[in-house]
Amino acid sequence: MTVRELRLVVTAADYDEALRFYRDVLGLPERAAYSSPDGRVTILEAGRATLEIADPAQAEFIDRVEVGRRVAGHIRVAFEVDDSAAVTAELAGAGATVVADPVRTPWNSLNSRLEGPAGLQLTLFTELGETTEPQDAP
């Protein structure tokens, strides 16, 4: 058995706002869109996908590093971007709520936290290069 794609499916009460934010502002390219009398769906490309599984202690540690306290639910979406500070500002200007400004993490990335449309907790991270610290996931 081979898994060929990870697809995160989000139900958005304000479909048009979520599509505008993630496609038009964050810049996720549209792969396909379907519409019928039963509803609409758009599939956006998000680069390489990974599934990160954390235990509650690690999830709390990540929140503490990025935000200063536990804020995320059991699902958080992380996007690697070229400049997390600039993208944070751009997404905030497009309606996202900044939960925490970019911070350098112990795993040597620059991470910020936002609340985006459809209630998604977003981590934006920029890898800063090699570190001698143990590597923890964003």
Side-chain angles (χ1 to χ4, degrees):
M1 174 174 62
T2 301
V3 174
R4 301 198 187 284
E5 178 180 348
L6 170 66
R7 186 172 293 179
L8 176 66
V9 180
V10 175
T11 302
D14 189 339
Y15 174 87
D16 293 320
E17 172 59 16
L19 185 59
R20 180 195 70 81
F21 183 86
Y22 293 106
R23 181 191 60 197
D24 303 336
V25 180
L26 185 56
L28 301 180
E30 186 174 307
R31 178 195 293 177
Y34 306 96
S35 181
S36 76
D38 295 319
R40 300 178 289 164
V41 64
T42 300
I43 301 167
L44 302 174
E45 294 286 342
R48 183 187 75 222
T50 59
L51 177 61
E52 178 178 318
I53 299 174
D55 67 16
Q58 180 67 21
E60 194 210 329
F61 173 67
I62 293 168
D63 275 6
R64 204 169 354 106
V65 167
E66 292 181 1
V67 180
R69 67 191 188 288
R70 184 74 173 123
V71 295
H74 75 285
I75 294 178
R76 175 178 52 85
V77 180
F79 292 105
E80 182 177 5
V81 297
D82 290 334
D83 183 344
S84 55
V87 176
T88 297
E90 186 174 352
L91 296 185
T97 300
V98 176
V99 177
D101 289 319
V103 61
R104 188 181 193 128
T105 67
W107 46 91
N108 206 30
S109 61
L110 190 63
N111 294 24
S112 65
R113 186 73 66 88
L114 300 100
E115 176 92 14
L120 286 178
Q121 280 265 330
L122 308 175
T123 292
L124 301 178
F125 68 100
T126 301
E127 297 294 354
L128 299 175
E130 293 298 316
T131 180
T132 58
E133 300 288 321
Q135 293 292 309
D136 293 319

